[in-house]
């Protein structure tokens, strides 16, 4: 396996529309990207940042206007056919032919990768049980719930045993439980099979849970790349925690408490920026209580991707 | 090249088309209702006009051709239209397939459904309207069907190319194209009745020659010495050009993002 799954340099893509008056909409501008094999890499950015465009170019569904792109060491322009044998894709809000059952859809997509006869039957069986679809194997796609459709989409994406898997907003439209289940599946896949996973999301928490590294896409370029924690710390950005006190605030060195990136305070109001509010909050409250403080109100505002995006765009 | 894997990829489209047809009530309408309405309305009209046996056969050949071509062409077109309607087009084209897999697989379904309609229509033409099948014989009938099938595949490829180029706006061509081609190639009349400019167009359509070939068994004149050779040569030329066109359309769809626009 190559050490670099994706290598893109000077990547440009502009969409054109209109017959009479041509409109040009630049989406990717001189984008550079390198993703190592075997990792889960997140492409983050607000809506309209070009995440789907980028992933579609990497998945050979869209041709770039300029630049060089290598996927698994192969050129997306000249060796697309060879790339397609080794990749697959699943997207959120998955859609397949409505009246085909779970099994028929899996068989159809398996055959497109040249699987037939017993190997196909065995692989379909494997996918059906891996994604807990036994009960729904004869259910037409149109009758499945969003969560089941998403499981089928992941099963379809894995039927070909890809070395590189693209997940375009894989938890989009799922309820929190189904979304969490999908995330766990993605992590398990990466750990068990070593498949490289590239996912797009606008959910920072999801990226944090899944991705070893992320790239922030903005203004057509990767604005920053690294682990979310590192990037947050670099910028001093995090979840905002506002605490109101009854009486005097205990005299602690709040800036030095674990996970605190920034701190602002007045007599009865404490404003902290934490790297991760959910995991830090219980310990923080225990320390404040131990120091004799009485908290009357807590307000948590999770870090907003838009804020991160704006910071990186500066 | 792994031939077994290639065959499996072709079979993927054939099997899917088969399942879709089996599940879809509309497919029964396509195969039986409309063709029978067409055949009986035209057949009864020939009775009302008290036409001779040869002229009745001339008209019925048009009706048989129309329904056979229409059905077989629709099956080729459905290969991508199912994905366009389901918004799942990108999942097909991210797989290592070629357009030849799509066309051959869906063509197989078109061949089966087209043949079924052809045989039903011919049987009804003989039984109900006294068409004399003894004149062309089984070989004449087989060659005629092959010609019709090739025309259907060419039309289906054109529809697929237009859908890849223009998306949903081109869907209507799936139902319109056969009628337009049949209108120009002498559906119920000799092409000599068309305006001269359209006669020139008719001469470029292989279906014109296939119908002329079959109608010649009933005593109608030929416009070319060897209509079959001309029909098959034109068909081969259009099949090659059609494959080139659809390949270009797919390339253009990958440039312009049409595959994404036609997906979720």
């Amino acid at each position: 396996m190559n050490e670099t799954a994706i290598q893109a340099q000077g990547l440009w893509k502009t969409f054109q529309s209109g017959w009479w008056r041509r409109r040009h909409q630049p989406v990717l501008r001189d984008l550079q990207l390198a993703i190592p094999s075997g990792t889960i890499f997140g492409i983050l950015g607000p809506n309209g940042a070009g995440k789907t465009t980028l992933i579609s170019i990497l998945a050979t569904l869209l041709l770039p206007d300029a630049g060089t792109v290598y996927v698994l060491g192969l050129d997306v322009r000249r060796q697309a056919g060879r790339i397609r044998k080794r990749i697959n894709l699943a997207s959120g809000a998955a859609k397949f032919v409505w009246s085909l059952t779970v099994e028929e859809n899996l068989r159809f997509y398996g055959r497109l990768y040249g699987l037939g006869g017993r190997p196909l039957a065995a692989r379909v069986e494997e996918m059906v049980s891996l994604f807990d679809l036994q009960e729904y194997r004869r259910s037409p796609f149109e009758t499945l719930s969003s969560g089941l459709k998403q499981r089928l989409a992941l099963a379809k994406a894995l039927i070909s045993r890809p070395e590189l898997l693209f997940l375009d907003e894989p938890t989009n439209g799922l309820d929190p439980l189904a979304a969490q289940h999908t995330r766990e599946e993605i992590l398990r896949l990466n750990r068990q099979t070593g498949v490289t996973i590239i996912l797009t999301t606008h959910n920072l928490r999801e990226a944090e849970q899944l991705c070893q590294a992320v790239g922030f896409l903005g203004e057509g370029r990767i604005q920053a790349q690294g682990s979310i924690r590192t990037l947050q710390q670099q910028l001093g950005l995090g979840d905002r925690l506002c605490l109101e006190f009854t009486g005097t605030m205990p005299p602690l060195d709040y800036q030095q408490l674990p996970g605190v990136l920034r701190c602002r305070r007045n007599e009865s109001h404490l404003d902290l920026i934490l790297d991760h509010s959910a995991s830090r909050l219980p310990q923080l409250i225990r320390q404040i209580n131990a120091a004799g403080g009485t908290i009357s109100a807590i307000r948590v505002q999770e870090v907003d991707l838009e804020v991160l995006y704006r910071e990186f765009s500066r | 090249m792994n031939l077994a894997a290639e065959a499996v990829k072709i079979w993927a489209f054939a099997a899917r088309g088969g399942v879709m047809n089996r599940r879809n009530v509309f497919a029964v309408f396509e195969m039986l209702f409309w063709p029978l309405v067409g055949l009986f309305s035209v057949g009864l009209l020939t009775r009302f006009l008290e036409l001779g046996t040869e002229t009745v056969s001339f008209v019925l050949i048009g009706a048989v051709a129309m329904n056979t071509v229409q059905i077989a062409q629709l099956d080729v077109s459905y290969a991508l239209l199912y994905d366009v309607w389901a918004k799942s087009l990108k999942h097909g084209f991210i797989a290592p397939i070629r357009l030849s897999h799509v066309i051959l697989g869906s063509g197989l379904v078109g061949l089966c459904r087209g043949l079924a309609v052809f045989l039903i229509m011919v049987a009804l033409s003989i039984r109900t309207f006294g068409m004399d099948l003894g004149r062309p014989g089984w070989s004449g009938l087989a060659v005629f069907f092959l010609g019709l099938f090739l025309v259907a595949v060419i039309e289906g490829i054109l529809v697929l190319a237009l859908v890849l180029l223009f998306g949903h706006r081109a869907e209507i061509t799936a139902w319109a194209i056969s009628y337009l081609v049949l209108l120009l190639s002498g559906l119920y009349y000799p092409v000599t009745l068309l305006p001269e400019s359209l006669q020139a167009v008719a001469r470029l359509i292989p279906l014109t020659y296939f119908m002329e070939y079959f109608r010649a068994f009933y005593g109608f004149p030929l416009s070319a010495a060897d209509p079959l050779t001309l029909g098959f040569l034109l068909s081969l030329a259009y099949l090659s050009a059609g494959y080139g066109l659809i390949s270009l359309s797919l390339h253009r769809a990958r440039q312009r993002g049409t595959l994404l626009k036609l997906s979720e």
Side-chain angles (χ1 to χ4, degrees):
Chain A
M1 192 184 279
N2 281 285
E3 285 185 7
T4 308
I6 302 288
Q7 183 76 52
Q9 280 184 328
L11 182 58
W12 289 80
K13 186 68 194 174
T14 298
F15 286 111
Q16 297 180 358
S17 56
W19 284 93
W20 182 245
R21 286 190 175 179
R22 276 280 205 224
R23 285 182 297 276
H24 299 266
Q25 189 198 346
V27 181
L28 302 178
R29 305 163 198 234
D30 197 21
L31 181 138
Q32 322 286 332
L33 181 67
I35 300 174
S37 288
T39 57
I40 303 182
F41 186 90
I43 298 169
L44 278 80
N47 288 331
K51 303 187 293 288
T52 301
T53 300
L54 175 58
I55 218 170
S56 300
I57 289 175
L58 301 178
T60 75
L61 289 166
L62 193 60
L63 285 165
D65 295 336
T68 55
V69 186
Y70 286 89
V71 174
L72 301 169
L74 300 164
D75 187 334
V76 290
R77 281 199 188 82
R78 291 182 290 113
Q79 296 167 299
R82 287 174 63 192
I83 293 173
R84 284 181 201 126
K85 287 180 185 170
R86 299 166 62 185
I87 63 169
N88 214 321
L89 169 135
S91 35
K95 300 261 171 64
F96 297 117
V97 169
W98 59 96
S99 64
L100 293 190
T101 64
V102 165
E103 232 177 43
E104 286 163 348
N105 266 305
L106 287 175
R107 257 188 256 133
F108 172 69
Y109 287 107
R111 283 180 182 131
L112 296 191
Y113 289 83
L115 278 173
R118 280 186 196 157
L120 175 66
R123 189 67 182 153
V124 168
E125 210 47 55
E126 209 180 318
M127 290 296 103
V128 163
S129 56
L130 182 67
F131 289 96
D132 246 345
L133 290 163
Q134 293 97 328
E135 203 184 317
Y136 309 97
R137 61 197 313 151
R138 297 198 209 310
S139 304
F141 177 75
E142 62 189 346
T143 64
L144 301 176
S145 67
S146 308
L148 289 171
K149 284 177 180 171
Q150 195 52 34
R151 277 195 248 165
L152 173 60
L154 286 171
K156 170 259 157 192
L158 290 173
I159 194 121
S160 58
R161 291 194 173 86
E163 290 168 45
L164 174 58
L165 182 60
F166 296 100
L167 302 175
D168 193 6
E169 306 202 350
T171 57
N172 195 13
L174 295 185
D175 63 61
L177 267 179
Q180 185 53 30
H181 180 75
T182 304
R183 284 184 205 120
E184 284 161 10
E185 283 302 327
I186 293 168
L187 275 174
R188 192 170 55 83
L189 279 174
N190 174 255
R191 282 182 197 139
Q192 284 182 357
T193 64
V195 60
T196 307
I197 298 175
I198 298 175
L199 64 90
T200 66
T201 180
H202 52 250
N203 182 337
L204 199 63
R205 287 285 161 258
E206 179 168 285
E208 200 174 43
Q209 186 185 346
L210 293 177
C211 305
Q212 284 102 336
V214 295
F216 275 88
L217 188 59
E219 294 181 351
R221 294 183 188 91
I222 296 290
Q223 302 285 350
Q225 191 173 332
S227 77
I228 290 200
R229 202 56 72 87
T230 315
L231 296 176
Q232 260 182 270
Q233 279 168 353
Q234 268 174 20
L235 291 168
L237 288 173
D239 299 339
R240 188 171 175 201
L241 176 70
C242 302
L243 299 175
E244 300 285 344
F245 289 88
T246 309
T248 326
M249 192 184 303
L252 288 169
D253 186 357
Y254 293 100
Q255 185 69 58
Q256 295 308 312
L257 293 177
V260 175
L261 301 174
R262 271 185 292 164
C263 168
R264 217 171 37 215
R265 57 188 288 190
N266 60 32
E267 220 164 276
S268 63
H269 181 96
L270 181 63
D271 211 353
L272 299 173
I273 302 294
L274 295 175
D275 57 358
H276 192 270
S277 59
S279 60
R280 303 291 189 186
L281 189 59
Q283 193 195 350
L284 197 69
I285 290 172
R286 273 198 300 275
Q287 281 183 278
I288 289 170
N289 286 341
T294 312
I295 298 166
S296 60
I298 300 174
R299 204 172 68 244
V300 180
Q301 191 185 351
E302 288 198 338
V303 66
D304 186 351
L305 185 60
E306 295 292 332
V307 177
L308 275 172
Y309 167 67
R310 273 201 302 276
E311 289 298 321
F312 281 115
S313 304
R314 271 182 196 170
Chain B
M1 187 188 284
N2 181 344
L3 284 179
E6 295 296 301
V8 161
K9 291 176 189 181
I10 292 168
W11 180 244
F13 289 94
R16 185 177 72 163
V19 170
M20 292 298 282
N21 275 313
R22 219 173 51 221
R23 298 249 166 86
N24 187 0
V25 181
F26 190 67
V28 180
F29 267 72
E30 277 177 351
M31 278 185 72
L32 293 174
F33 185 77
W34 301 124
L36 293 185
V37 167
L39 187 78
F40 278 103
S41 57
V42 169
L44 292 171
L45 180 69
T46 60
R47 276 196 191 164
F48 173 65
L49 296 174
E50 295 177 353
L51 301 178
T53 317
E54 276 75 20
T55 320
V56 170
S57 298
F58 184 99
V59 173
L60 289 176
I61 287 165
V64 171
M66 181 174 77
N67 291 294
T68 306
V69 170
Q70 171 84 345
I71 291 290
Q73 171 260 308
L74 274 175
D75 278 312
V76 177
S77 309
Y78 284 157
L80 291 189
L81 283 176
Y82 287 143
D83 288 306
V84 169
W85 294 328
K87 291 188 163 287
S88 60
L89 197 61
K90 67 180 178 187
H91 294 294
F93 283 110
I94 200 181
I97 56 158
R98 288 190 304 276
L99 286 162
S100 54
H101 299 125
V102 180
I103 295 164
L104 288 171
S106 55
L108 266 176
V109 185
L111 183 72
C112 295
R113 284 219 306 161
L115 185 61
V117 169
F118 182 76
L119 292 175
I120 291 168
M121 301 280 284
V122 167
L124 283 171
S125 300
I126 296 165
R127 192 171 171 78
T128 316
F129 301 107
M131 190 173 158
D132 179 12
L133 199 69
R135 297 200 201 177
W138 285 109
S139 59
L141 208 59
V143 170
F144 182 47
F145 173 74
L146 180 63
L148 297 181
F149 176 67
L150 286 177
V151 171
V153 173
I154 295 163
E155 289 177 2
I157 290 174
L158 187 60
V159 172
L160 295 181
L162 292 173
V163 167
L164 285 173
L165 275 179
F166 303 110
H168 290 290
R169 285 174 291 174
E171 279 175 25
I172 190 68
T173 54
W175 290 272
I177 196 164
S178 290
Y179 292 109
L180 181 66
V181 170
L182 281 152
L183 187 75
L184 291 169
S185 49
L187 175 58
Y188 300 128
Y189 41 80
V191 286
T192 46
L193 290 183
L194 292 169
E196 277 203 17
S197 55
L198 292 183
Q199 282 185 42
V201 177
R203 298 277 158 246
L204 297 172
I205 300 174
L207 185 58
T208 306
Y209 300 103
F210 294 131
M211 288 209 284
E212 266 190 16
Y213 158 78
F214 203 65
R215 282 165 172 165
F217 289 109
Y218 298 91
F220 293 95
L222 292 169
S223 64
D226 191 351
L228 267 192
T229 308
L230 257 175
F232 282 117
L233 282 177
L234 275 175
S235 297
L236 284 179
Y238 289 134
L239 279 174
S240 314
Y243 198 80
L245 177 70
I246 194 174
S247 303
L248 279 176
S249 303
L250 181 59
H251 183 78
R252 191 105 177 101
R254 284 204 163 101
Q255 270 180 334
R256 297 176 63 177
T258 314
L259 293 182
L260 304 182
K261 284 180 202 155
L262 296 174
S263 304
E264 76 259 8

